Amino acid sequence: MTQKKFDLEERFVDLAASIASFCQDLSNDFTGQYYGNQLLRSAGGAALNFGEAQGTNTDKDYVHRATISLRELKESRVNLNILNRIEYGNKELRISLLDEVEQLIKITATIIKNKK
């Protein structure tokens, strides 16, 4: 049996890509555009900053980049919760994205705590 490699950076990339697809299907009204754009930026920022953290030379630099990524994930969580409350976008996908964001927040926070 082949064991799947755990790749956290890949999960961040998958999250950003899934959110991009989710945002494409949001209503094109002001609300959909506003929250969609915010969500695209925060999820993309989380993935990009986590990717940058992988290339750091010191634990201090890593913690700094990972902390930025964590903040972006938390912003994405709030945005998805707002979209959830106003029932915007595909419900099943929105709930799935929120679950993945929650998991990545917990993992990233633990990594930061252990690196300090």
Short mmCIF file of all heavy atoms in Angstrom, two decimals, residues 71-101:
data_model
loop_
_atom_site.label_atom_id
_atom_site.label_comp_id
_atom_site.label_asym_id
_atom_site.label_seq_id
_atom_site.Cartn_x
_atom_site.Cartn_y
_atom_site.Cartn_z
N ARG A 71 -2.71 34.93 9.92
CA ARG A 71 -3.63 36.07 9.90
C ARG A 71 -4.51 36.06 8.66
O ARG A 71 -5.71 36.35 8.73
CB ARG A 71 -2.85 37.39 9.96
CG ARG A 71 -2.55 37.83 11.37
CD ARG A 71 -1.99 39.23 11.38
NE ARG A 71 -0.56 39.07 11.65
CZ ARG A 71 0.41 39.78 11.13
NH1 ARG A 71 0.15 40.75 10.29
NH2 ARG A 71 1.65 39.57 11.44
N GLU A 72 -3.92 35.72 7.53
CA GLU A 72 -4.68 35.65 6.28
C GLU A 72 -5.72 34.53 6.34
O GLU A 72 -6.84 34.68 5.84
CB GLU A 72 -3.74 35.43 5.09
CG GLU A 72 -2.76 36.57 4.84
CD GLU A 72 -3.39 37.81 4.22
OE1 GLU A 72 -4.61 37.83 3.96
OE2 GLU A 72 -2.65 38.76 3.97
N LEU A 73 -5.36 33.40 6.94
CA LEU A 73 -6.33 32.31 7.11
C LEU A 73 -7.49 32.75 7.99
O LEU A 73 -8.66 32.44 7.70
CB LEU A 73 -5.65 31.09 7.74
CG LEU A 73 -4.74 30.26 6.86
CD1 LEU A 73 -3.98 29.24 7.70
CD2 LEU A 73 -5.53 29.56 5.76
N LYS A 74 -7.20 33.47 9.06
CA LYS A 74 -8.26 33.94 9.95
C LYS A 74 -9.16 34.94 9.25
O LYS A 74 -10.38 34.94 9.45
CB LYS A 74 -7.66 34.53 11.22
CG LYS A 74 -7.07 33.46 12.13
CD LYS A 74 -6.49 34.06 13.39
CE LYS A 74 -5.97 32.96 14.31
NZ LYS A 74 -5.43 33.49 15.57
N GLU A 75 -8.59 35.77 8.39
CA GLU A 75 -9.40 36.70 7.60
C GLU A 75 -10.30 35.91 6.64
O GLU A 75 -11.48 36.24 6.47
CB GLU A 75 -8.51 37.65 6.82
CG GLU A 75 -9.30 38.67 6.01
CD GLU A 75 -8.42 39.65 5.25
OE1 GLU A 75 -7.26 39.88 5.65
OE2 GLU A 75 -8.90 40.18 4.24
N SER A 76 -9.75 34.86 6.04
CA SER A 76 -10.55 34.02 5.15
C SER A 76 -11.70 33.36 5.91
O SER A 76 -12.82 33.25 5.39
CB SER A 76 -9.67 32.93 4.51
OG SER A 76 -8.69 33.49 3.68
N ARG A 77 -11.43 32.93 7.13
CA ARG A 77 -12.46 32.30 7.95
C ARG A 77 -13.61 33.27 8.22
O ARG A 77 -14.78 32.92 8.07
CB ARG A 77 -11.88 31.81 9.27
CG ARG A 77 -12.93 31.22 10.21
CD ARG A 77 -12.36 30.70 11.49
NE ARG A 77 -11.69 31.74 12.24
CZ ARG A 77 -10.92 31.51 13.30
NH1 ARG A 77 -10.72 30.29 13.73
NH2 ARG A 77 -10.35 32.51 13.94
N VAL A 78 -13.28 34.50 8.60
CA VAL A 78 -14.32 35.50 8.87
C VAL A 78 -15.12 35.77 7.59
O VAL A 78 -16.36 35.83 7.61
CB VAL A 78 -13.70 36.80 9.42
CG1 VAL A 78 -14.74 37.92 9.46
CG2 VAL A 78 -13.12 36.57 10.81
N ASN A 79 -14.43 35.90 6.47
CA ASN A 79 -15.09 36.16 5.21
C ASN A 79 -16.05 35.02 4.85
O ASN A 79 -17.20 35.25 4.47
CB ASN A 79 -14.03 36.33 4.12
CG ASN A 79 -14.56 37.07 2.92
OD1 ASN A 79 -15.65 36.81 2.46
ND2 ASN A 79 -13.76 37.97 2.40
N LEU A 80 -15.58 33.77 4.99
CA LEU A 80 -16.45 32.63 4.71
C LEU A 80 -17.64 32.57 5.68
O LEU A 80 -18.75 32.20 5.28
CB LEU A 80 -15.65 31.33 4.77
CG LEU A 80 -14.75 31.07 3.57
CD1 LEU A 80 -13.75 29.96 3.87
CD2 LEU A 80 -15.57 30.73 2.34
N ASN A 81 -17.42 32.97 6.92
CA ASN A 81 -18.52 33.00 7.89
C ASN A 81 -19.56 34.05 7.51
O ASN A 81 -20.77 33.83 7.66
CB ASN A 81 -18.01 33.24 9.31
CG ASN A 81 -17.50 31.98 9.96
OD1 ASN A 81 -18.05 30.90 9.74
ND2 ASN A 81 -16.46 32.10 10.75
N ILE A 82 -19.09 35.19 7.00
CA ILE A 82 -20.03 36.22 6.52
C ILE A 82 -20.83 35.68 5.34
O ILE A 82 -22.06 35.80 5.30
CB ILE A 82 -19.27 37.52 6.13
CG1 ILE A 82 -18.70 38.20 7.38
CG2 ILE A 82 -20.21 38.48 5.38
CD1 ILE A 82 -17.70 39.31 7.09
N LEU A 83 -20.12 35.08 4.38
CA LEU A 83 -20.81 34.51 3.22
C LEU A 83 -21.77 33.40 3.65
O LEU A 83 -22.85 33.25 3.05
CB LEU A 83 -19.79 33.98 2.21
CG LEU A 83 -18.98 35.07 1.48
CD1 LEU A 83 -17.83 34.45 0.71
CD2 LEU A 83 -19.88 35.88 0.57
N ASN A 84 -21.41 32.67 4.66
CA ASN A 84 -22.28 31.63 5.20
C ASN A 84 -23.55 32.25 5.79
O ASN A 84 -24.66 31.78 5.55
CB ASN A 84 -21.52 30.83 6.27
CG ASN A 84 -22.00 29.42 6.39
OD1 ASN A 84 -22.49 28.83 5.44
ND2 ASN A 84 -21.85 28.87 7.58
N ARG A 85 -23.36 33.32 6.54
CA ARG A 85 -24.49 33.97 7.20
C ARG A 85 -25.48 34.56 6.19
O ARG A 85 -26.68 34.52 6.40
CB ARG A 85 -23.95 35.06 8.12
CG ARG A 85 -24.94 35.81 8.92
CD ARG A 85 -25.18 35.41 10.37
NE ARG A 85 -24.18 34.75 11.12
CZ ARG A 85 -23.55 35.25 12.17
NH1 ARG A 85 -23.77 36.49 12.55
NH2 ARG A 85 -22.70 34.52 12.86
N ILE A 86 -24.96 35.09 5.08
CA ILE A 86 -25.85 35.69 4.08
C ILE A 86 -26.19 34.71 2.96
O ILE A 86 -26.84 35.08 1.98
CB ILE A 86 -25.27 37.01 3.50
CG1 ILE A 86 -23.95 36.78 2.78
CG2 ILE A 86 -25.13 38.06 4.60
CD1 ILE A 86 -23.38 38.01 2.09
N GLU A 87 -25.73 33.47 3.12
CA GLU A 87 -26.03 32.38 2.20
C GLU A 87 -25.64 32.70 0.76
O GLU A 87 -26.43 32.56 -0.17
CB GLU A 87 -27.51 31.98 2.31
CG GLU A 87 -27.87 31.49 3.69
CD GLU A 87 -29.32 31.11 3.85
OE1 GLU A 87 -30.10 31.24 2.89
OE2 GLU A 87 -29.68 30.68 4.96
N TYR A 88 -24.39 33.10 0.58
CA TYR A 88 -23.84 33.39 -0.75
C TYR A 88 -22.95 32.25 -1.19
O TYR A 88 -22.15 31.74 -0.41
CB TYR A 88 -23.00 34.68 -0.69
CG TYR A 88 -23.67 35.87 -1.33
CD1 TYR A 88 -24.86 36.37 -0.83
CD2 TYR A 88 -23.12 36.48 -2.45
CE1 TYR A 88 -25.48 37.46 -1.41
CE2 TYR A 88 -23.73 37.57 -3.04
CZ TYR A 88 -24.90 38.05 -2.52
OH TYR A 88 -25.52 39.13 -3.11
N GLY A 89 -23.05 31.89 -2.44
CA GLY A 89 -22.21 30.85 -3.00
C GLY A 89 -22.73 29.46 -2.72
O GLY A 89 -23.71 29.26 -1.99
N ASN A 90 -22.08 28.47 -3.30
CA ASN A 90 -22.44 27.08 -3.16
C ASN A 90 -22.28 26.65 -1.70
O ASN A 90 -21.18 26.70 -1.16
CB ASN A 90 -21.56 26.22 -4.08
CG ASN A 90 -21.84 24.76 -3.97
OD1 ASN A 90 -21.51 24.13 -2.97
ND2 ASN A 90 -22.45 24.22 -5.01
N LYS A 91 -23.37 26.23 -1.09
CA LYS A 91 -23.38 25.92 0.34
C LYS A 91 -22.40 24.81 0.71
O LYS A 91 -21.63 24.95 1.66
CB LYS A 91 -24.79 25.55 0.79
CG LYS A 91 -24.88 25.25 2.27
CD LYS A 91 -26.29 24.90 2.69
CE LYS A 91 -26.34 24.63 4.19
NZ LYS A 91 -27.69 24.30 4.64
N GLU A 92 -22.43 23.71 -0.03
CA GLU A 92 -21.57 22.57 0.29
C GLU A 92 -20.09 22.95 0.17
O GLU A 92 -19.27 22.60 1.03
CB GLU A 92 -21.88 21.37 -0.61
CG GLU A 92 -23.23 20.75 -0.37
CD GLU A 92 -24.39 21.52 -1.01
OE1 GLU A 92 -24.17 22.25 -1.99
OE2 GLU A 92 -25.52 21.40 -0.50
N LEU A 93 -19.76 23.67 -0.89
CA LEU A 93 -18.37 24.09 -1.09
C LEU A 93 -17.95 25.08 -0.02
O LEU A 93 -16.84 25.00 0.53
CB LEU A 93 -18.19 24.68 -2.49
CG LEU A 93 -16.77 25.08 -2.88
CD1 LEU A 93 -15.77 23.95 -2.68
CD2 LEU A 93 -16.74 25.58 -4.32
N ARG A 94 -18.83 26.02 0.31
CA ARG A 94 -18.54 27.02 1.34
C ARG A 94 -18.24 26.34 2.67
O ARG A 94 -17.26 26.68 3.35
CB ARG A 94 -19.75 27.95 1.45
CG ARG A 94 -19.54 29.19 2.25
CD ARG A 94 -20.76 30.09 2.21
NE ARG A 94 -21.94 29.45 2.78
CZ ARG A 94 -23.11 29.32 2.15
NH1 ARG A 94 -23.29 29.78 0.94
NH2 ARG A 94 -24.13 28.74 2.77
N ILE A 95 -19.03 25.35 3.05
CA ILE A 95 -18.83 24.63 4.32
C ILE A 95 -17.52 23.84 4.27
O ILE A 95 -16.77 23.81 5.24
CB ILE A 95 -20.03 23.69 4.58
CG1 ILE A 95 -21.30 24.50 4.57
CG2 ILE A 95 -19.81 22.84 5.82
CD1 ILE A 95 -22.01 24.81 5.81
N SER A 96 -17.26 23.22 3.14
CA SER A 96 -16.02 22.45 2.97
C SER A 96 -14.79 23.36 3.06
O SER A 96 -13.80 23.02 3.71
CB SER A 96 -16.04 21.73 1.62
OG SER A 96 -14.81 21.12 1.36
N LEU A 97 -14.86 24.53 2.44
CA LEU A 97 -13.76 25.49 2.49
C LEU A 97 -13.55 25.98 3.92
O LEU A 97 -12.41 26.12 4.38
CB LEU A 97 -14.02 26.67 1.55
CG LEU A 97 -13.99 26.36 0.07
CD1 LEU A 97 -14.51 27.55 -0.74
CD2 LEU A 97 -12.59 25.97 -0.38
N LEU A 98 -14.62 26.25 4.60
CA LEU A 98 -14.52 26.71 5.99
C LEU A 98 -13.87 25.65 6.87
O LEU A 98 -13.02 25.97 7.71
CB LEU A 98 -15.92 27.07 6.51
CG LEU A 98 -16.02 27.82 7.82
CD1 LEU A 98 -15.15 29.06 7.85
CD2 LEU A 98 -17.47 28.19 8.09
N ASP A 99 -14.21 24.39 6.64
CA ASP A 99 -13.60 23.30 7.40
C ASP A 99 -12.09 23.23 7.12
O ASP A 99 -11.29 23.09 8.05
CB ASP A 99 -14.26 21.97 7.04
CG ASP A 99 -13.64 20.81 7.79
OD1 ASP A 99 -13.65 20.83 9.04
OD2 ASP A 99 -13.15 19.87 7.12
N GLU A 100 -11.71 23.33 5.85
CA GLU A 100 -10.28 23.29 5.52
C GLU A 100 -9.53 24.47 6.12
O GLU A 100 -8.42 24.33 6.63
CB GLU A 100 -10.09 23.23 3.99
CG GLU A 100 -8.65 23.18 3.55
CD GLU A 100 -7.88 21.91 3.95
OE1 GLU A 100 -8.45 21.01 4.60
OE2 GLU A 100 -6.68 21.83 3.61
N VAL A 101 -10.13 25.65 6.08
CA VAL A 101 -9.50 26.84 6.68
C VAL A 101 -9.30 26.61 8.18
O VAL A 101 -8.23 26.90 8.72
CB VAL A 101 -10.34 28.11 6.42
CG1 VAL A 101 -9.90 29.26 7.30
CG2 VAL A 101 -10.25 28.51 4.95
#
